[in-house]
Amino acid sequence: MGRLAAFAHRLGSPRWFFDITGPWLVVLSVIGIALVTVGSVWGLVFAPEDYQQGNSFRIIYVHVPTAHLAEALYLAMGAAGVVLLVWRMKLADMFIAVTAPVGMAITGVALLTGAIWGKPTWGAWWVWDARTTSVLVLFFLYVGLMALRQAIPAREQAGRAVAVLAVVGTVNVPIIKYSVDWWLTLHQPSSFSLTEPPTMPAQMWLPLLVNVVGFYCLVAAVVLAGLRNEILERESGTAWVRDWLARKLRGSVA
Amino acid sequence: MNEFVTFLQMGGHGLYVWLAYGIAWAALIVIGARPILARRRFIAMHRAAAEPERTAE
């Protein structure tokens, strides 16, 4: 068996995943908390004012990371949906189940911080333009994934139905991404591009980069922690979870 | 002190900026606390289930 196939095979084992991710969780949480602290203080205190928007532009340091994550989490669920439908990997189903509420919360934050930024900048809390509307659709897709899982009692069928919606819903992500280019919107175009240097001074975009990486680490830690709980619960009858629990209970008594 | 008040006011945008950061930080705390509490609940539930066994021994 090739190395990649062996890796994919082990990923199919929730126990193996649980065993290796304990240390990752600690590292991701520590890095995430440190980066978000540094990025937020930098953005609030040390970044210069925007010459047009004044201080309201500082909302960018929480809005862009959450808006970016809202899309990335949905794409990750779409990929997990494909894995579940094609290879029936249990871990993929658990990933979608754990990520949907996190993604919904993050999308909610992106919408709210966007509205709060819109008021002083556009003069309105909400406008029905292509960007805001497509992100609102994304929010309802997350809600739909959770509702659909609740509505189907059989776990395996629910998982497959949710996976289909996760995969189909990914068509919305490029619509969000290119909405500011395809349509005339109030929303400003991207501040960052992979191919061109930033148009902002470094004192403005560096804290943004720090916060984007920090939010990614924190949300990865949250999803990982949820996934580990989900594994414990779904495998709670197995010998290895009983052993793990016995060690935990003994440890807390001693 | 005055400098700090000026900082909080954010040139008239204070309400918007602090509200946005407050919502973002609160959401991070809530989504971070959920798995920690769920893990504690899971262990506590199994401890409760294991207790009678231990007293019977």
Side-chain angles (χ1 to χ4, degrees), chain A residues 51-67:
Chain A
Y51 78 104
Q52 273 183 328
Q53 299 186 9
N55 282 298
S56 66
F57 104 97
R58 293 181 200 281
I59 294 171
I60 199 173
Y61 301 114
V62 289
H63 178 69
V64 166
T66 49

Side-chain angles (χ1 to χ4, degrees), chain A residues 111-178:
Chain A
L111 284 167
L112 286 171
T113 54
I116 295 166
W117 195 0
K119 184 61 185 166
T121 313
W122 305 336
W125 297 102
W126 184 259
V127 288
W128 290 102
D129 84 2
R131 174 56 72 82
T132 57
T133 308
S134 54
V135 176
L136 188 64
V137 169
L138 182 70
F139 180 81
F140 287 122
L141 277 169
Y142 279 113
V143 175
L145 287 175
M146 292 162 68
L148 187 59
R149 188 178 292 279
Q150 292 287 312
I152 305 173
R155 177 175 279 170
E156 200 165 321
Q157 277 171 292
R160 294 174 66 79
V162 169
V164 171
L165 181 56
V167 173
V168 173
T170 55
V171 299
N172 189 40
V173 174
I175 295 177
I176 296 173
K177 170 108 179 66
Y178 295 108

